[in-house]
Amino acid sequence: MISTSLLPLETPTPAHICPFDQACSYLEQAARELKLDQGILATLSNPRKVVTVSIPVKRDDGEVQVLAGHRVQHCDILGPYKGGIRYHQAVTLREVSALAMLMTWKCALLGIPYGGAKGGIAINPKSYSVGELERITRRYTSELIKDIGPAVDIPAPDMGTSAREMAWIMDTYSVNVGHAVPGVVTGKPLSIGGSRGREMATGRGVMITVREALADLGKSLAGVRVAIQGFGNVGGAAALLLHQAGAKVIAVSTGTGGVFAQDGLDIPALQAYAAHNRRSIVGFPQAESITNSELLTLPCDVLIPAALENQITEENVHQVQATIVAEAANGPVTLQANQALAARGVTVLPDILTNAGGVVVSYLEWVQGLSYVFWDEERVNREMEQLMVRAYHQVIEQSQLRQIPLRLAAYTLGVGRVAQALSDRGLYP
């Protein structure tokens, strides 16, 4: 197993569900396929920098609470670090490290000049007021002020964060350096240099990848039956775009439960219902109630896990009835489950390809911010689609050339490009 000596020890997690162990396993598989030098493998196995900061915050009732904030910078061989910041009670340093590593391969796969990073604070944002969240975000930013920047590390929204938090980060950073720096984050509001198309970008990338995979099977999106676990920024956007393209979205779910309709859900109506019910979709008319676990086993053409990691495991993989599993979340299919699906001939569209639309449009936002020239949404969507389609077909070609599954093909491309750049740049000193 790869050495992870640079990561502080935490409470052990079973290997089959530990995100960092799983990320390392995929790296090792790609390294074997590529016959990488062991020195290069060792370099890519550990993050370059791991930062944990103390975040004292005064609650609204006057109590002072001290939180721990993480930022893991995995690799900057191809360019500045890039990755989201998540606020979720399940955040751990190993999870953040895994996501930073995946971001490195994702950026390389899409041909984006970024390296991978990720940040997080282990809180439930729903348990904090807006004022408390602002104080947490600004203090976290202040503690990381020397480790982020438009040419160093560019954060973005992730689970539990949004354009609002990115605006706070940009403002805090700008105040500290003495002038406005729109390029320090992406996923910002349009009013301060955000990009059109960013909000729907990840979901649009999922739709594009599914569309291309169906086309390879001689099918179109029209009439295809789709089940989506997750109805947030990613799952909700994917559901709407697939619905608009003629697909039948038969089931969606959130953390509190889901809904199912044999003939397809009215997605715009469901989104309006959720907006008036604190994002809950339970009780939506003309639909049956369904649990998250039941959704994963529905008969459908396309299953899109768009929530958390480790949703399809060796315990439930044999109940999955989809022809295509499109990983809109990071790591929703475990290593063992992925092998079982491949053995059954199920197409698994890997996360580092399927959910890359977000980082692509983040890159386009960064480019616009640096040039101070901003594009309309049509151009943003067109540029993103070109990169997504190109990457998809490169993965297919690699899979066919090497006779390997799509996930391994995606990793060989991403890891291989980073390894080549590392070899070309050499080691200093």
Side-chain angles (χ1 to χ4, degrees), residues 337-352:
N338 186 78
Q339 293 169 343
L341 290 171
R344 288 167 45 198
V346 176
T347 299
V348 179
L349 301 174
D351 50 6
I352 65 169

Side-chain angles (χ1 to χ4, degrees), residues 312-349:
I312 300 177
T313 68
E314 55 269 38
E315 282 78 24
N316 64 0
V317 65
H318 299 293
Q319 298 174 282
V320 173
Q321 301 183 63
T323 304
I324 295 173
V325 175
E327 293 186 317
N330 288 309
V333 181
T334 66
L335 178 61
Q336 292 86 349
N338 186 78
Q339 293 169 343
L341 290 171
R344 288 167 45 198
V346 176
T347 299
V348 179
L349 301 174

